């Protein structure tokens, strides 16, 4: 076994060894402080540095975390510090360069969403990590919330039945971004959640996207994305920067039950409805099904109990465990790449005035050849 810079043998249980992994957070802006705080609080990690071009901002964050060292670049960090991993919280267009530098130096990498600003760059990152046997993890934070973990469990154990539709709404009066549209800004959250909860992950063959720019910003500020799921089911994602009300809601309709996740309702985030539409006579024939009488099922509503924990705390623990256990993280680089593939197809569909766009990597001919 090879030894890391912290002196541990890969594959050992950190609890048994009593060792910690060393990590540096790159980016002290919006998300970096959240990562730094959770790494500091984690028994699995030692925060060993903060990296930011803005040294005053980096120093302020470092002081809040006990006075850890400050560096101005990834190169300076790698030259002067002994770390096992880096966590990247910088603009998306910088993710590729920083991640490759770290991976080529033998460091594990955590990257905030989206994984990169193009599928080609994301693919290069994934391949580099695989070639070197390193963990590349996407910080899909919502996938570590108690609500999303419970949704995944309910789908996996068949509580909802066959999925009939998914409707996701993420709207607010948000900051119009100068470099990305509303899809690239907000939809990665929804797409990463779908990739996490769906049994086969996020693998649409094609997507259709419509966007609007009523303010003339040069970027779509309102957007609707649709794509097919298995068994003629459909997923719909609505994202919007211009809504005066904030809504974070996911509806998963199943043949047995329908689940509603309201992320802004802490008293009852999840509701499961035993209500729906049923066919009185099931038949393998499509023609017979069309003639079947439709009935409505009106049953109970219940709310699953959810544990209380911070999603980022779970995420940094998963990052450590995936390194110690030499396995892909639950939100691996491959998951981030699937999200990127859909986002690129969304951009292609927008450019084609809403025409369906093939998702690269999920083309029908590739599926048929497997």
């Amino acid at each position: 076994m090879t030894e890391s810079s912290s002196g541990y043998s890969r594959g050992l249980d950190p609890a048994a060894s009593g060792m910690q992994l060393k990590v540096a957070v790159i980016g002290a802006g919006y998300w970096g402080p959240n990562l730094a705080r959770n790494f500091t609080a984690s028994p699995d990690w030692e925060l060993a540095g903060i990296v930011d071009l803005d040294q005053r901002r980096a120093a302020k964050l470092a002081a809040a975390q006990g006075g850890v060292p400050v560096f101005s670049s990834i190169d300076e960090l790698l030259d002067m510090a002994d770390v096992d991993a880096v966590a990247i919280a910088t603009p998306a267009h910088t993710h590729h360069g920083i991640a490759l530098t770290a991976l080529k130096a033998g460091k594990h990498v955590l990257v905030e969403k989206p994984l990169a600003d193009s599928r080609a760059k994301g693919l290069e990152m994934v391949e580099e990590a695989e070639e070197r046997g390193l963990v590349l993890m996407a910080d899909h934070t919502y996938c570590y919330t108690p609500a999303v973990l419970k949704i995944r469990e309910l789908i996996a154990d068949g509580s909802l039945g066959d999925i009939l539709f998914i409707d996701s709404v993420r709207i607010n009066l948000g900051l119009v971004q100068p470099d990305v549209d509303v899809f690239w800004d907000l939809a990665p959250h929804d797409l990463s959640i779908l990739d996490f909860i769906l049994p086969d992950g996020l693998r649409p063959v094609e997507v259709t996207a419509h966007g609007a720019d009523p303010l003339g910003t040069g970027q779509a500020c309102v957007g609707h994305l649709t794509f097919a799921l298995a068994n003629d089911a459909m997923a719909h994602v609505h994202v919007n920067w211009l809504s005066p009300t904030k809504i974070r809601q996911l509806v998963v309709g199943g043949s047995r039950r329908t689940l509603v996740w309201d992320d802004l309702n802490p008293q009852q985030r999840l509701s499961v409805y035993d209500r729906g539409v049923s066919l009185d006579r099931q038949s393998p024939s499509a023609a017979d099904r069309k003639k079947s009488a439709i009935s409505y099922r009106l049953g109970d509503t219940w709310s699953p109990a959810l544990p209380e924990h911070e999603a980022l705390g779970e995420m940094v623990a998963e990052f450590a465990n995936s390194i110690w256990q030499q396995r892909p993280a639950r939100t691996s680089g491959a998951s981030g790449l699937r999200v990127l593939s859909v986002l690129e197809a969304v951009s292609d569909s927008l450019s084609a005035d809403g025409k369906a766009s093939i998702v690269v990597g999920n083309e029908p001919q590739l599926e048929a050849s497997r």
Side-chain angles (χ1 to χ4, degrees), residues 25 27-29 32-34 36-37 50 56-66 68:
V25 172
N34 295 319
R37 174 173 53 80
I50 302 294
R56 291 183 62 184
R57 184 169 65 181
K60 182 179 179 181
L61 175 57
Q65 304 305 322
V68 300

Side-chain angles (χ1 to χ4, degrees), residues 304-324:
L306 299 175
E308 290 295 329
H309 66 248
E310 184 173 0
L312 272 178
E314 293 291 311
M315 189 274 298
V316 301
E318 169 65 7
F319 188 31
N321 286 332
S322 64
I323 293 171
W324 286 101

Side-chain angles (χ1 to χ4, degrees), residues 134 138 227 245 354:
L134 296 168
F227 54 87
T245 58

